[in-house]
Amino acid sequence: MIKKNEIYTVTAVDDGFGGEGIAKIDNFTVFVPYLIKGETAEVKILKVLSTHAFGKIEKLITKSEHRAEPKCPAFFKCGGCNFLHLSYEKQLEIKKNQVAECMKKYCKVPVEVADCIGAENPYNYRNKAQYPFENEIYGFYASRSHRLVPINSCLMQNEKDEGILKVVSEYIKKSKAPIRHLYTRHSRENTMAVLVSKTAKLPFTNVLTKELLSVCPEIKSIIVNVNSKDTNVILGEKNITIYGTDTIEGYIGKTKFNISPHSFFQVNSKQTEVLYNKAGELLGENCGHIADLYCGIGSIGLYLADKAEKITGVEIVESAVKDAQINAKLNGIENARYILGASEDVLPTLIKNGEKIDAVILDPPRKGCHKALLDCLLDTEIEKIVYISCNPATLARDLDILSEKYTISTVTPVDMFPNTQHVECVVRLCRT
Ligand SMILES: C[S@@+](CC[C@H](N)C(=O)[O-])C[C@H]1O[C@@H](n2cnc3c(N)ncnc32)[C@H](O)[C@@H]1O
């Protein structure tokens, strides 16, 4: 029986999905963060449960060829990334394996999984960041806590943030302004800086504006967001624009989107384009009437609008429906309409009302599709479904249900979040 606080020499026999190695001590499973398959290490046991244990590397004895030097000094403290100790090639391999394992475990028909499509540049890909401030000190919260880990910059974020952060920090030091977070959003050309403040009125904002523009001339919008409540929600409801415009324009490929502090937008614009192109390829041309279910601000449907005669977007959040309508107008797309409601209620109603739907796009949240929606899809004659998913386990569960009436194509994983364990997938289902 293995014992807590004892040190054992182990070799990882497999890679877990969260950047940990899986080792065996007398056939008992031990999860060891940052250990890579094939590596041997002296490991201290931290916790023993009935079926498995957790350990920590005390000394690495042999190194995997896939081990990379984490480029971030805060890697082992900050809760943002968990794959920085792995070569990018190995990260993609682990993501593909994660998807394949889920398919084997939760889907009764065999499903092929393609190689994970990686990013050209796995760094500086995020277009949105939230940095907590404690007075003039800023950084990120440690994993699952509200303990601030001070850092000057983050490798996943836009490089312009470093200068903006320094200016805001200096400003807080001098003015004692009650700023709790800096929130930035970037598009190809424009930047929005949002100062989340306890009070609506901030001192010397003209000086702050001048300094922000001098380090980042791309700033087209500076907003004070007022949040006096002590909750986990970062943004308050009220936005006061103190410089420039209330919104900036973001792009996925040629499709334009209006971005306000509150609006949802995919965080990795470049890989979103890769994902949507793959979805478009699977969808094919001349798709007739497409139902874009779980449509958010309409991004996928609008991006693929030229493949459809008509698009019906369905989304449960009212502000997202309004944004989708604005975005359709912004792109001069006239064949798209948006319905506020739950996909599992709206689709059956549309069908009951005699609307012919030729193809469906599904992009549900992590919990996957509602069972009633899957039942409705099984009961109707819709030819084609393109399913985009951020959770391979619920994707596999839903594919298992739909496999009763649909043939499943190869699942393609796309790396939208390099250096983290997250993976997005896209797959096509054709009526059999
Ligand atoms: C993963 S996001 C996809 C957003 C969008 N397709 C995109 O790519 O930007 C899932 C969306 O489904 C919405 N949602 C959650 N449950 C829903 C439901 N039952 N019916 C319709 N929309 C729902 C969420 O508000 C969210 O916008």
Side-chain angles (χ1 to χ4, degrees), residues 131 219 253 349 364 387 413 425:
Y131 303 92
I219 292 181
T349 310
Y387 193 143
C425 289

Short mmCIF file of all heavy atoms in Angstrom, two decimals, residues 131 219 253 349 364 387 413 425:
data_model
loop_
_atom_site.label_atom_id
_atom_site.label_comp_id
_atom_site.label_asym_id
_atom_site.label_seq_id
_atom_site.Cartn_x
_atom_site.Cartn_y
_atom_site.Cartn_z
N TYR A 131 -7.18 41.41 -16.15
CA TYR A 131 -6.08 41.40 -15.18
C TYR A 131 -6.57 41.99 -13.86
O TYR A 131 -6.94 43.18 -13.82
CB TYR A 131 -4.92 42.26 -15.67
CG TYR A 131 -4.37 41.85 -17.02
CD1 TYR A 131 -4.85 42.44 -18.19
CD2 TYR A 131 -3.37 40.89 -17.13
CE1 TYR A 131 -4.34 42.08 -19.43
CE2 TYR A 131 -2.85 40.53 -18.37
CZ TYR A 131 -3.35 41.13 -19.51
OH TYR A 131 -2.85 40.79 -20.75
N ILE A 219 -5.44 51.99 -29.56
CA ILE A 219 -6.62 52.11 -28.69
C ILE A 219 -7.63 53.05 -29.35
O ILE A 219 -7.33 54.21 -29.63
CB ILE A 219 -6.24 52.63 -27.27
CG1 ILE A 219 -5.43 51.56 -26.54
CG2 ILE A 219 -7.48 53.01 -26.47
CD1 ILE A 219 -5.01 51.92 -25.13
N GLY A 253 -12.03 36.19 -40.32
CA GLY A 253 -11.91 36.27 -41.77
C GLY A 253 -12.42 37.63 -42.22
O GLY A 253 -11.99 38.66 -41.69
N THR A 349 -40.72 23.53 -32.72
CA THR A 349 -41.79 24.46 -33.11
C THR A 349 -41.67 24.83 -34.58
O THR A 349 -42.66 24.85 -35.31
CB THR A 349 -41.73 25.75 -32.23
OG1 THR A 349 -41.65 25.33 -30.89
CG2 THR A 349 -42.92 26.66 -32.44
N PRO A 364 -23.18 23.70 -28.89
CA PRO A 364 -23.71 23.88 -27.53
C PRO A 364 -22.62 24.21 -26.51
O PRO A 364 -21.44 24.06 -26.81
CB PRO A 364 -24.30 22.50 -27.24
CG PRO A 364 -23.47 21.55 -28.01
CD PRO A 364 -23.06 22.28 -29.27
N TYR A 387 -21.60 19.52 -36.15
CA TYR A 387 -21.59 19.67 -34.69
C TYR A 387 -20.22 20.19 -34.28
O TYR A 387 -19.19 19.56 -34.55
CB TYR A 387 -21.87 18.30 -34.06
CG TYR A 387 -22.19 18.28 -32.57
CD1 TYR A 387 -23.14 17.39 -32.06
CD2 TYR A 387 -21.56 19.12 -31.66
CE1 TYR A 387 -23.45 17.35 -30.69
CE2 TYR A 387 -21.88 19.11 -30.31
CZ TYR A 387 -22.79 18.21 -29.82
OH TYR A 387 -23.09 18.16 -28.47
N PRO A 413 -10.26 17.60 -34.40
CA PRO A 413 -9.98 18.51 -33.30
C PRO A 413 -9.22 19.74 -33.81
O PRO A 413 -8.39 19.63 -34.70
CB PRO A 413 -9.10 17.69 -32.35
CG PRO A 413 -9.04 16.30 -32.91
CD PRO A 413 -9.38 16.41 -34.36
N CYS A 425 -13.81 20.57 -31.25
CA CYS A 425 -13.93 19.55 -32.29
C CYS A 425 -15.02 19.92 -33.27
O CYS A 425 -15.99 20.61 -32.90
CB CYS A 425 -14.34 18.20 -31.68
SG CYS A 425 -13.05 17.44 -30.74
#
